[in-house]
Amino acid sequence: MSNRAGSFLWNLRQFSALSPTSRTVRPNPLGFCRPEIVYSNWSPGNHPSNDFAGKTQSPIRYLFQDASVFKPGDDVFQTKGTSPVTALPVNRLFCPRRLSFDSEHSPVPEDGLKKMHFDHEASDEDVLTRETKPTPVNFKKLSQGNSLSDVLDAFANAPSFPSSNYFSAMWTIAKRMSDDQRRFEKQLMFSHPAFTQLCEHMMREAKIMFCDHLLFSLYAVVRLGIPQNTLLVQTLLRVVQERINECDEKCLSVLSIILEVMEPCKNVDVLRSGLRILVDQQIWKIERVFTLQAVMKSIGKDAPISLKKKLEMKALRELHRFSVLNSQRMFEALAAMDHRSDVLLDECSKMVIGNINGCPLKILINILQSCRDLRYRNLYLFKGIADYVATTFDVWKLRQVLFVLILFENLAFRHTDLMDLFMKKVVDERGFLNMKSIVSILHVYASLNHLHGGPAREFLDAMGAALTGYLHHISSENLLNAVCSFCLMNHFPLAPINQLLQKDIIDDLLMSDKKERNVYKLQILAACLKLDDVPCHKAVDLVLPSLPPAPLYPNAKVAEVLSSLLGEGYFLENVQLPHNHHIDFEIRMDSNRSEVLPLSDANVVTSATDIQRVAVLCVPRSTYCLDLTHPRGFLAMKMRHLKVMGFHVILVRKKLR
């Protein structure tokens, strides 16, 4: 009887040894995700599968409705409801644990127990280890393959922990491929029979793998093109939310890069909010400038202004440690969070220009795009970049230089040497011109009002001939944009204008969603055809709908100055002229412009030759190029038309408020 009781107690201890370990719940201080679960007795060597399955059920229970799950075949992701989600069954022991024996209560004699230990160690455990303990996967060996399917085949033959190495290896291989090969390999990856099993293993292991492995896995999954609404991606996002407090600086950098490339969704937004709180707490502990810039690019434009200020202060404190690459990337980092720091940008501009030799054009283009987004104007920086591009002009393709010129136009910067070089290159190599580049080039040169000398005439003729060759393929709006640019430059190619004035094209433009803008440009065309010297062109009266009147901005200070200098009754304010032109003030003088005439006396004079009309225009700085000396296209055209109408033009530049 005692032997039976001892045997019963011994068996009972073996079941208790396999029972789930205790767990404690520790509240998460971020407060935006589920409580963090801490396993008090868990280690990679004693974690049974039934215990693991029970603990992974809770964190992934409430995911998005209609999240996609992987279904093999036809490279298609099917969608089905996933709320609530139950934990996936574990088919094998990842971390088998050994059975322990209590000699005090064991019914087996001590000698037999020793023999049992010996036999077990000599035979059973070796077999158990070989069958249930997978060999750790060699990431370097996996990443040396040439195909994503090779990695999946290796997983299918011998699955091993952690699954993150397989995804990281596949992304490492994919980075070495061309775009076409990568696209084909991804299709094979999605249709591979082991791919679904790998995704299931990844979801099971997400709670127990190291935090950096988890984040590298999520990064690889996203970069491999696995859709963001799949159960795999959403599960990893939820687990990262719960374990965000485990992030060190390396993990913080990886998480920032992940959020930068992901599309907004509920889990991504929650994770970004958690990242902001974590960064706000640990910002002064960040040691690497790269990590700081990665965080700045990922927190979002809607981040609190206080956090943006802290990041700016941290960057200024680390300014003495900036490398050339750090200075180049700071423009993009500030633009990503929509925060302009003139002090920081000025210092980075000096380092960029001081080390510009050998700089790839792509980096310079990114800098100019960031300056445009931040509305940052730095003549020293722009001139340095333009000088460098002009000096190395023959190294770059014309489409690359055109992109630089488009960005300079957005920034209202006109570099005469670079634009002259490009004009000559266009005249010599007209073969690179297509319809899109023709419209873009005309817009840049018309907006910046860059026309002077003999090369300009050859350039305009070449562009007119190139545009004529595309008249059978060009859309109505592109044709209107191109002709309007020609009008601003006082050049009128007959074939494009005649086609634009056809009734069906005019009707198409007036029925467009951009009707108001099209009417404005057609009015410019009509004014140019009547006021400018258009050779061999019959005047056409365009019947266009009227536009709402432009808002009138008060110029009280200018009116006050004119009143003090001339007196009341010597000038007119807000004068509307034909052809949709408006002037702020009109003054009438004698023909020698030596005396200002009162308005009553000027009306008595019958001969227009005895009066000189003076137009005073109050113009904002946006109507000038960045150097504030060269008028841009629309202002130059307006001045030209006012002179044709008999006005002497005086420009008064408005100050910034």
Side-chain angles (χ1 to χ4, degrees):
M1 186 67 181
S2 60
N3 290 337
R4 291 183 180 180
S7 177
F8 173 78
L9 293 175
W10 180 82
N11 289 327
L12 182 62
R13 279 185 173 81
Q14 308 317 310
F15 281 107
S16 63
L18 293 175
S19 62
T21 57
S22 62
R23 67 178 185 177
T24 58
V25 178
R26 184 173 63 198
N28 194 322
L30 294 180
F32 61 89
C33 60
R34 297 177 58 85
E36 182 180 0
I37 300 174
V38 181
Y39 300 97
S40 58
N41 296 328
W42 181 88
S43 67
N46 65 358
H47 192 72
S49 60
N50 57 345
D51 187 16
F52 176 76
K55 292 174 184 177
T56 55
Q57 180 175 356
S58 177
I60 61 171
R61 183 171 297 167
Y62 300 102
L63 297 179
F64 281 126
Q65 297 285 346
D66 301 327
S68 299
V69 293
F70 291 109
K71 293 294 181 182
D74 301 330
D75 189 21
V76 176
F77 295 103
Q78 300 180 3
T79 303
K80 69 178 182 178
T82 59
S83 178
V85 176
T86 58
L88 297 169
V90 180
N91 298 325
R92 59 185 295 126
L93 291 174
F94 288 101
C95 304
R97 55 187 294 178
R98 296 175 55 183
L99 297 179
S100 60
F101 293 88
D102 190 340
S103 59
E104 180 180 354
H105 299 283
S106 174
V108 184
E110 185 175 354
D111 295 340
L113 179 60
K114 292 180 180 179
K115 183 178 180 181
M116 181 182 295
H117 270 293
F118 176 81
D119 294 340
H120 177 75
E121 292 176 0
S123 58
D124 293 343
E125 183 171 356
D126 291 340
V127 174
L128 180 65
T129 302
R130 285 196 299 268
E131 291 181 354
T132 61
K133 284 190 177 181
T135 304
V137 64
N138 191 330
F139 167 74
K140 292 184 178 180
K141 185 176 180 180
L142 284 174
S143 60
Q144 291 173 356
N146 298 320
S147 172
L148 305 184
S149 298
D150 294 342
V151 179
L152 293 173
D153 291 340
F155 170 78
N157 294 332
S160 59
F161 178 87
S163 300
S164 59
N165 287 339
Y166 295 100
F167 283 106
S168 298
M170 285 194 291
W171 171 236
T172 302
I173 295 172
K175 287 191 296 185
R176 301 195 297 259
M177 298 178 178
S178 62
D179 293 339
D180 293 337
Q181 185 182 3
R182 188 183 302 122
R183 191 179 303 110
F184 177 72
E185 286 289 336
K186 286 181 181 179
Q187 293 177 356
L188 295 180
M189 178 189 71
F190 290 138
S191 59
H192 197 284
F195 181 67
T196 302
Q197 184 183 5
L198 177 59
C199 295
E200 293 174 353
H201 277 236
M202 185 69 238
M203 288 187 290
R204 293 178 198 146
E205 299 171 9
K207 289 288 292 184
I208 62 174
M209 66 175 56
F210 291 115
C211 186
D212 56 344
H213 288 184
L214 173 63
L215 290 170
F216 278 118
S217 302
L218 179 57
Y219 177 75
V221 164
V222 172
R223 300 302 291 180
L224 284 170
I226 297 177
Q228 189 169 313
N229 65 335
T230 53
L231 182 61
L232 172 64
V233 178
Q234 296 299 326
T235 300
L236 295 181
L237 287 172
R238 288 296 301 270
V239 176
V240 173
Q241 291 174 24
E242 297 181 0
R243 301 182 60 183
I244 193 171
N245 285 333
E246 303 175 26
C247 289
D248 55 9
E249 184 170 337
K250 178 182 177 181
C251 295
L252 199 64
S253 176
V254 178
L255 178 58
S256 300
I257 296 174
I258 292 173
L259 292 178
E260 182 185 353
V261 299
M262 295 195 74
E263 297 293 331
C265 71
K266 185 176 180 180
N267 276 333
V268 170
D269 295 340
V270 171
L271 191 55
R272 180 174 281 111
S273 300
L275 176 66
R276 292 172 182 173
I277 299 174
L278 190 65
V279 170
D280 190 61
Q281 296 172 351
Q282 301 183 4
I283 186 170
W284 307 115
K285 300 179 182 178
I286 297 177
E287 297 180 356
R288 300 176 61 224
V289 177
F290 176 82
T291 303
L292 177 64
Q293 292 179 334
V295 168
M296 295 171 70
K297 293 170 65 175
S298 65
I299 62 170
K301 296 183 179 181
D302 57 341
I305 188 63
S306 59
L307 179 58
K308 295 180 181 180
K309 286 288 187 181
K310 284 185 179 180
L311 290 169
E312 177 189 357
M313 293 174 61
K314 175 65 175 178
L316 288 173
R317 289 176 58 176
E318 302 293 332
L319 193 58
H320 65 284
R321 297 175 51 206
F322 275 23
S323 64
V324 177
L325 186 59
N326 293 145
S327 299
Q328 294 168 349
R329 289 179 173 175
M330 184 52 66
F331 290 86
E332 188 177 359
L334 289 172
M337 67 175 187
D338 193 22
H339 181 72
R340 189 176 77 188
S341 172
D342 290 337
V343 178
L344 193 56
L345 291 172
D346 289 344
E347 294 300 321
C348 291
S349 297
K350 295 176 183 178
M351 185 170 290
V352 168
I353 298 303
N355 300 272
I356 197 171
N357 291 331
C359 182
L361 194 61
K362 181 180 179 181
I363 293 179
L364 299 178
I365 288 174
N366 289 337
I367 290 175
L368 293 176
Q369 288 176 324
S370 301
C371 292
R372 176 197 61 193
D373 297 339
L374 292 171
R375 298 169 296 280
Y376 174 68
R377 306 292 187 264
N378 187 329
L379 266 176
Y380 170 76
L381 174 65
F382 299 161
K383 187 177 185 301
I385 294 177
D387 288 340
Y388 173 70
V389 176
T391 304
T392 58
F393 186 84
D394 294 331
V395 177
W396 316 114
K397 298 179 181 179
L398 285 180
R399 60 180 180 83
Q400 293 177 306
V401 181
L402 175 58
F403 198 29
V404 173
L405 291 177
I406 292 174
L407 290 172
F408 278 148
E409 187 276 330
N410 296 152
L411 296 164
F413 176 71
R414 171 177 170 263
H415 192 272
T416 56
D417 293 342
L418 181 58
M419 298 188 76
D420 287 343
L421 282 173
F422 190 81
M423 277 199 306
K424 294 178 182 178
K425 200 70 172 179
V426 167
V427 173
D428 296 338
E429 301 181 11
R430 307 182 187 185
F432 99 98
L433 294 173
N434 54 33
M435 184 176 64
K436 185 177 180 180
S437 63
I438 291 172
V439 177
S440 299
I441 293 170
L442 290 174
H443 173 73
V444 168
Y445 279 80
S447 175
L448 295 177
N449 188 29
H450 183 79
L451 293 169
H452 56 84
R457 183 56 54 184
E458 296 179 6
F459 168 75
L460 290 175
D461 292 338
M463 296 300 296
L467 179 62
T468 302
Y470 282 98
L471 289 181
H472 297 291
H473 311 285
I474 195 169
S475 65
S476 301
E477 291 193 358
N478 281 336
L479 179 60
L480 175 61
N481 294 333
V483 170
C484 184
S485 297
F486 274 122
C487 291
L488 294 181
M489 294 184 286
N490 199 20
H491 185 76
F492 304 95
L494 295 181
I497 292 177
N498 289 332
Q499 177 163 328
L500 178 61
L501 294 177
Q502 294 178 5
K503 187 177 183 303
D504 56 339
I505 293 183
I506 296 294
D507 293 340
D508 184 35
L509 292 171
L510 296 181
M511 295 175 61
S512 170
D513 296 335
K514 304 175 182 178
K515 175 182 176 181
E516 186 172 335
R517 190 192 67 176
N518 293 340
V519 170
Y520 176 70
K521 292 187 176 182
L522 287 172
Q523 288 179 348
I524 291 176
L525 172 62
C528 290
L529 293 178
K530 289 188 177 182
L531 297 177
D532 291 322
D533 185 15
V534 183
C536 304
H537 192 279
K538 183 188 295 184
V540 177
D541 291 329
L542 292 177
V543 181
L544 300 173
S546 58
L547 293 174
L552 300 178
Y553 299 100
N555 300 289
K557 291 186 178 180
V558 179
E560 183 180 351
V561 171
L562 289 177
S563 298
S564 62
L565 293 176
L566 304 177
E568 297 294 337
Y570 282 86
F571 62 90
L572 294 175
E573 190 173 359
N574 293 326
V575 181
Q576 188 66 38
L577 300 175
H579 310 295
N580 204 34
H581 285 307
H582 168 270
I583 60 177
D584 298 293
F585 299 96
E586 179 184 352
I587 302 172
R588 298 182 182 182
M589 306 179 70
D590 60 355
S591 57
N592 297 325
R593 285 190 290 175
S594 60
E595 182 182 359
V596 178
L597 301 177
L599 296 178
S600 57
D601 295 343
N603 293 332
V604 174
V605 179
T606 57
S607 177
T609 58
D610 297 334
I611 297 179
Q612 174 64 65
R613 303 176 72 184
V614 178
V616 179
L617 302 180
C618 301
V619 294
R621 65 180 302 169
S622 60
T623 59
Y624 287 92
C625 293
L626 196 57
D627 57 1
L628 299 180
T629 60
H630 188 75
R632 299 185 68 176
F634 285 102
L635 178 59
M637 180 200 67
K638 185 174 183 178
M639 294 170 61
R640 185 174 74 239
H641 287 177
L642 290 176
K643 290 178 180 178
V644 172
M645 298 168 65
F647 283 91
H648 174 75
V649 181
I650 297 176
L651 300 179
V652 178
R653 190 165 60 244
K654 293 181 180 180
K655 292 184 179 181
L656 290 177
R657 296 182 178 178

